[in-house]
Amino acid sequence: MDNRKTPKDNKQTDIARIVYAPVNDKLEPQKRLEACLWLSELITKMATHTICHTIVDYENLATEERMSVASAFLQRMTSTHLCNHKLTKEGIALRYQGETFQLHEEFKTVMLTRSVYEHLVMFYFLYEHPRTDEERKVVWDYWKINSMKNLIDLDTEERGEKKEERGERGEERGMKKEERGERREERGMIDVLRNDIFSTRLGMECCTKLDEWTAPDKPTQNSCIAFFRRQGQQDVRRVSYNQAWRFLFNKDQEDMNLLYRHLSIHAHPIYNGLLQYQDQGQKDEGYDGVPLYLSCCFLAYLCRLFLRLIPNGDKMFDQDFTNEERLIFRALAKVGIR
């Protein structure tokens, strides 16, 4: 049996070495960070290339709501990633009594990475996971309803309703007339979107859950929805951000189950997260670039999904990027993906 590697095998090995360098414990910490920053610069350049070409070459697509929002997803993720890159590269410096102290903080960009991950999750469930036009419509309307409900202060409205019931007059404290008008408009839009959902076959088949989840008087749920079949019947489930990895990544990679939890405990004032913050190593152990590396993977993943929405999007990088750069992009977009 011939075990000799072909040039193609060698090329794949080289690409894997580049892509996984930021998490290669055999490399010195500085080398890992340098590898991460290089990958980040490449992915940022490719994402920016995608954004600009879409604006210039596909201007007509921007008039369509879904494409306009998709472009906003990519632009916001890219700008967030750029902040992550800058903070990772430059670090945080404190000044005290005329001296500069470089703050060692390996969790400093976790919140930015978490934001990029959440944008990827929502993009996936809006644009990639739905299998039919009807699914896409219902998922889209559900997302818009929750977005609008975020703008409505339910407690304030309930207090206002109680005042009216008691016959009290005057404006509600802190609420201007135009604000009340905007809320009435938002509630009207929610009613329109709910009617659109229940005018579909899918909406009617899952009406019990969808009616409860989209009710204007119920608090919003920052989650996605996914349709599936249970015992031959159509059903729908809510998918939280910490559950979404099962859809986006390989189900066998249990480490992904800890991903969002890890991102969350270092993005919020959580007891265990603060203990880990205090216990982090004072010396650079090579982990400072890991949040940026994850952000690279998430941004590449979303960029790959976005290109599927563009005519001939799979060829967008052919002229302006080398074959190796394109292979690195595809490899990063597949890190952890099933």
Side-chain angles (χ1 to χ4, degrees), residues 271-283:
Y271 175 77
N272 291 339
L274 290 169
L275 287 184
Q276 289 185 30
Y277 179 91
Q278 287 297 81
D279 293 339
Q280 65 181 317
Q282 292 303 306
K283 294 182 179 179

Side-chain angles (χ1 to χ4, degrees), residues 83 140 157 228 247 312:
C83 294
W140 184 263
E157 288 197 343
F228 66 102
F247 294 83
N312 299 316

Side-chain angles (χ1 to χ4, degrees), residues 53-95:
H53 267 274
T54 302
I55 292 173
V56 174
D57 299 333
Y58 300 99
E59 184 180 4
N60 59 312
L61 294 178
T63 59
E64 200 270 315
E65 181 187 39
R66 286 179 60 86
M67 276 305 305
S68 178
V69 171
S71 182
F73 264 96
L74 181 57
Q75 291 181 48
R76 178 185 279 182
M77 280 187 68
T78 302
S79 64
T80 303
H81 179 81
L82 277 167
C83 294
N84 195 326
H85 180 98
K86 183 176 178 63
L87 188 53
T88 301
K89 183 177 181 179
E90 299 179 9
I92 300 175
L94 304 178
R95 293 190 62 82

Side-chain angles (χ1 to χ4, degrees), residues 34-300:
E34 289 173 359
C36 181
L37 291 172
W38 185 87
L39 288 171
S40 177
E41 289 172 357
L42 174 62
I43 296 307
T44 300
K45 185 178 179 181
M46 299 180 88
T48 303
H49 180 90
T50 303
I51 292 169
C52 294
H53 267 274
T54 302
I55 292 173
V56 174
D57 299 333
Y58 300 99
E59 184 180 4
N60 59 312
L61 294 178
T63 59
E64 200 270 315
E65 181 187 39
R66 286 179 60 86
M67 276 305 305
S68 178
V69 171
S71 182
F73 264 96
L74 181 57
Q75 291 181 48
R76 178 185 279 182
M77 280 187 68
T78 302
S79 64
T80 303
H81 179 81
L82 277 167
C83 294
N84 195 326
H85 180 98
K86 183 176 178 63
L87 188 53
T88 301
K89 183 177 181 179
E90 299 179 9
I92 300 175
L94 304 178
R95 293 190 62 82
Y96 177 70
Q97 294 184 351
E99 294 187 36
T100 300
F101 295 85
Q102 192 73 19
L103 177 65
H104 175 72
E105 217 275 74
E106 64 188 52
F107 307 119
K108 59 183 173 292
T109 63
V110 164
M111 184 173 290
L112 296 170
T113 301
R114 180 174 178 266
S115 178
V116 171
Y117 171 76
E118 291 181 352
H119 279 71
L120 168 62
V121 169
M122 190 59 71
F123 190 96
Y124 177 86
F125 281 97
L126 287 174
Y127 293 92
E128 181 70 13
H129 187 266
R131 292 162 294 185
T132 66
D133 289 340
E134 192 172 62
E135 278 192 27
R136 275 185 284 275
K137 174 177 173 51
V138 175
V139 170
W140 184 263
D141 287 346
Y142 173 86
W143 175 62
K144 289 181 69 174
I145 288 172
N146 270 291
S147 298
M148 291 179 180
K149 286 169 67 175
N150 271 319
L151 301 176
I152 299 176
D153 184 342
L154 296 176
D155 292 336
T156 300
E157 288 197 343
E158 290 172 0
R159 289 196 298 270
E161 291 170 357
K162 289 179 181 178
K163 286 182 179 181
E164 291 177 0
E165 290 172 0
R166 295 196 303 268
E168 293 182 12
R169 297 181 180 179
E171 290 189 358
E172 300 157 2
R173 182 177 299 175
M175 182 184 291
K176 297 179 181 179
K177 291 181 179 180
E178 54 267 29
E179 290 175 343
R180 295 203 305 275
E182 289 174 359
R183 288 184 178 175
R184 284 195 294 270
E185 183 177 346
E186 287 154 5
R187 278 188 167 272
M189 283 299 301
I190 289 174
D191 290 338
V192 170
L193 292 169
R194 276 168 51 86
N195 290 334
D196 286 346
I197 287 176
F198 299 123
S199 68
T200 66
R201 175 191 54 80
L202 200 58
M204 289 306 299
E205 289 180 353
C206 303
C207 63
T208 301
K209 289 182 178 179
L210 292 175
D211 181 48
E212 177 186 353
W213 295 346
T214 62
D217 59 342
K218 293 293 180 66
T220 183
Q221 295 289 329
N222 292 318
S223 59
C224 319
I225 59 171
F227 289 96
F228 66 102
R229 298 196 72 82
R230 187 201 302 271
Q231 298 178 345
Q233 299 295 318
Q234 190 70 56
D235 204 347
V236 62
R237 61 165 66 94
R238 283 194 293 206
V239 183
S240 62
Y241 288 116
N242 66 328
Q243 298 170 332
W245 69 272
R246 296 180 179 275
F247 294 83
L248 275 73
F249 304 104
N250 192 323
K251 293 182 180 179
D252 296 330
Q253 294 187 341
E254 287 298 328
D255 287 345
M256 299 305 297
N257 188 28
L258 303 175
L259 171 65
Y260 190 71
R261 193 179 309 168
H262 175 78
L263 295 178
S264 294
I265 67 172
H266 293 296
H268 296 294
I270 294 175
Y271 175 77
N272 291 339
L274 290 169
L275 287 184
Q276 289 185 30
Y277 179 91
Q278 287 297 81
D279 293 339
Q280 65 181 317
Q282 292 303 306
K283 294 182 179 179
D284 184 4
E285 299 176 352
Y287 301 121
D288 296 54
V290 172
L292 178 62
Y293 175 68
L294 292 172
S295 186
C296 286
C297 298
F298 300 150
L299 180 57

